[in-house]
Structure formats: C-alpha cells, structure tokens
Amino acid sequence: MATSTLGLIPNWYPPTRENYDLILSLWKWFPAFASLQWATTWYGMGKTSLPSPLNLPGRLAWLTMESPGFLTLLYTFFRLPPQLSVTDLPWQNSVLAGLFVIHYSYRAILFPFLQPSMAPMHLSIWASAFSFQVINGLMLGSWLGGYGPTSQEEWDNLLPFGTLQFSVGIAIFYVGLAANYYHDDELREIRRRENHRQDRLVKEGRVKRGDVSRHYEVPKAGLFKYMLYPHYFVEWVEWFGYWTAAGYGCVPARCFLFNEVASMLPRAVRGKAWYVEKFGEEKVGKKWAVIPGFW
C-alpha cells in the first residue's frame, strides 16, 4: 500500500493510510465538541439567527457549506484507488458512494432553491458546517476508496448476514430519505401558504408584503404530530441504514451517525423551547423535540 498520496493536498487530500487513521481517531471525539452547544441558546441560522455583519445570504451559505461533503467523497473515491493499486472496487462500494451523493444532491443543491426563503447564516456556522462536510466526506470517501473492503471476500467477512444485511440497510436508508423529503416539504408548505395569503391581501390592498423567512407555525402533518423535529429524526434513520449496509465495523459511517446526533440533538431541544416560548405550551402540546418517548 502506498505510503504517500498525490492530490489537491499531498498526503492529506486524499490522505495516506496513516493520516486517515489520525483524522479518524480525532473525528471520534467530535461529539465532545458538539456538546458545547448545550451551553448556549445561540445558533446563527434559522429561527435564532440575528443581524450581523458576518452573516451570509442563506441560500449561498447553504449551497457552499453542504456541497463539499459529496464533492470530497467523490474526489477521494475516484482519486485514491489508483494510488493504492486497487483496480476494481466491489459493487457495494459504488452503491454506498452513490447513496451519499443522492442524499446530498438534494440536501446541498436542491434544498436551498426549493425553500421559499432562507434566513441569513453566520459565518461561524458556515465554517463549522463546511469543516464537518469536508472531514466526513474525506473519511467515508477514503474508506470506500481503498481503506475499507476492496474485495468481495472482505465484504463477506464484514457483514455477518451478507447481502441481506446490505439490502436491509439500503431499505432503511430509503425510508429515511423519503421521510426526509416529506417533512422538509411540510415545512416549506407553511411558508408557501403564507406567501399565498400575503399575495391575496396585497392584491386587496389590505397589507404590505412581509418577510416570510420569519414566519413560523407549529407543523402538524406526518411525524410532526408527535415531535417538532422529525426531519432530524428521519435523517438519523437514513444514516443508521447506511451504517447497517456498510457494516457495524465501518467506523466512518458510525462516526457520521453519532456526530450528526451530537450536533443536531441540542438544536432540537433548544428548538422545542423556542416553540414553547413563541406559541405556548398549549399549542405545542405534548410533542417531543426529536425522539418520541425519550427527548
């Protein structure tokens, strides 16, 4: 196996095996960093964003912070194998790379332009999300591109239940993906309804157009009946399915899931407090923040 790699940043992008192991060992500690969110209610995007000279336009910030993940994965996935003398990766590697790209083609590219509006984003939030995406894409891309299984025999050893486990994991992934689309669209529908309402009132000469990026309601459709952040929950379901398909010994997939939960759970809990403050306990009802029966 090569002891050096060539790329945009030699030995790091894509990484050597030694550097991959180093980054991955540090990546496991991300939840400790993410836990700092419990100490503050501030989060510089969405509901809690505030005016600041360091704010970036919402759509542009989202596109540029989310895209590096799948671009890094693709770059590493195609760049690394020839340098490791790997000539033919198993089909499972390509499927998993493709699923990651499918998710982020929506999340990074389509999502910001489907939104009726997006609040500004603070530069610090953009930078942390950008870094997360690059490291996550680098770790998964490296595992799929040569530092994980590179033969069918290795895949057979990795998955105790073989193709059945892989298929079940993919099925779970797609259930989560479809539910993610659905609940994202329900949130968009709130602002679409407000847009239509304002259009009607403006035509009647009764009001001036307002800023729908600051219009919020308590959503009710689908899993919103039970929790306030089902779009977070079903995304975790997605990546649990991905981890299942990759094998529970796949450390980058495990880190991805755990790191997402660690970074999103505090936001959901703080978000519930925001909903209660804005709309009142009675209107929010007994909904959980993000994990029914637990949180």
Side-chain angles (χ1 to χ4, degrees):
M1 185 173 289
T3 58
S4 63
T5 55
L6 298 176
L8 293 178
I9 306 176
N11 300 327
W12 291 98
Y13 196 95
T16 62
R17 181 62 195 241
E18 294 79 8
N19 289 340
Y20 164 81
D21 289 338
L22 172 62
I23 297 170
L24 191 57
S25 68
L26 297 174
W27 193 224
K28 296 174 186 177
W29 290 95
F30 176 85
F33 170 77
S35 67
L36 296 175
Q37 292 183 91
W38 292 104
T40 178
T41 58
W42 180 84
Y43 189 73
M45 66 176 288
K47 300 177 181 66
T48 55
S49 62
L50 298 170
S52 168
L54 296 179
N55 279 351
L56 303 172
R59 294 186 207 278
L60 177 63
W62 190 277
L63 175 67
T64 55
M65 79 179 188
E66 293 283 299
S67 296
F70 78 88
L71 293 175
T72 295
L73 182 141
L74 286 175
Y75 176 79
T76 310
F77 181 71
F78 288 109
R79 182 79 174 179
L80 188 60
Q83 301 190 43
L84 302 179
S85 300
V86 175
T87 57
D88 188 20
L89 287 169
W91 61 270
Q92 291 94 332
N93 298 52
S94 297
V95 170
L96 290 172
L99 291 179
F100 192 90
V101 173
I102 287 171
H103 174 90
Y104 278 104
S105 294
Y106 162 70
R107 178 60 59 190
I109 300 173
L110 294 179
F111 178 84
F113 296 104
L114 289 172
Q115 298 297 96
S117 62
M118 292 192 77
M121 184 182 303
H122 195 273
L123 179 62
S124 63
I125 303 300
W126 177 91
S128 62
F130 178 92
S131 301
F132 182 99
Q133 289 293 340
V134 170
I135 297 172
N136 191 52
L138 193 64
M139 294 296 93
L140 281 168
S142 297
W143 189 85
L144 293 170
Y147 297 146
T150 57
S151 68
Q152 194 60 53
E153 182 181 1
E154 289 178 334
W155 269 109
D156 292 339
N157 292 331
L158 186 64
L159 300 182
F161 301 101
T163 303
L164 175 62
Q165 179 176 340
F166 191 85
S167 300
V168 169
I170 299 303
I172 294 171
F173 175 90
Y174 274 117
V175 168
L177 183 67
N180 203 313
Y181 292 166
Y182 173 83
H183 291 95
D184 277 350
D185 198 60
E186 175 59 21
L187 292 175
R188 286 191 286 268
E189 183 60 25
I190 289 173
R191 289 185 180 171
R192 286 196 291 258
R193 287 197 300 266
E194 178 62 13
N195 263 330
H196 294 328
R197 188 186 74 85
Q198 289 194 20
D199 285 341
R200 176 172 54 81
L201 294 178
V202 168
K203 287 179 181 178
E204 294 172 358
R206 294 167 58 187
V207 301
K208 293 182 179 180
R209 172 160 292 285
D211 181 7
V212 296
S213 69
R214 293 297 180 182
H215 176 80
Y216 298 99
E217 299 174 15
V218 179
K220 300 174 181 178
L223 293 177
F224 281 114
K225 297 174 184 176
Y226 312 104
M227 63 184 100
L228 292 165
Y229 287 83
H231 46 308
Y232 286 11
F233 177 77
V234 296
E235 185 164 331
W236 301 343
V237 169
E238 260 188 90
W239 298 118
F240 173 75
Y242 193 90
W243 181 29
T244 298
Y248 296 124
C250 177
V251 178
R254 184 192 73 201
C255 285
F256 185 18
L257 175 61
F258 287 10
N259 292 350
E260 271 217 335
V261 174
S263 62
M264 296 162 75
L265 179 59
R267 302 206 299 268
V269 173
R270 298 295 188 191
K272 180 179 178 179
W274 180 92
Y275 271 106
V276 170
E277 181 180 349
K278 185 172 180 66
F279 297 105
E281 287 273 6
E282 185 176 345
K283 195 156 188 178
V284 173
K286 296 181 179 180
K287 294 182 180 182
W288 298 91
V290 66
I291 306 176
F294 292 96
W295 219 316

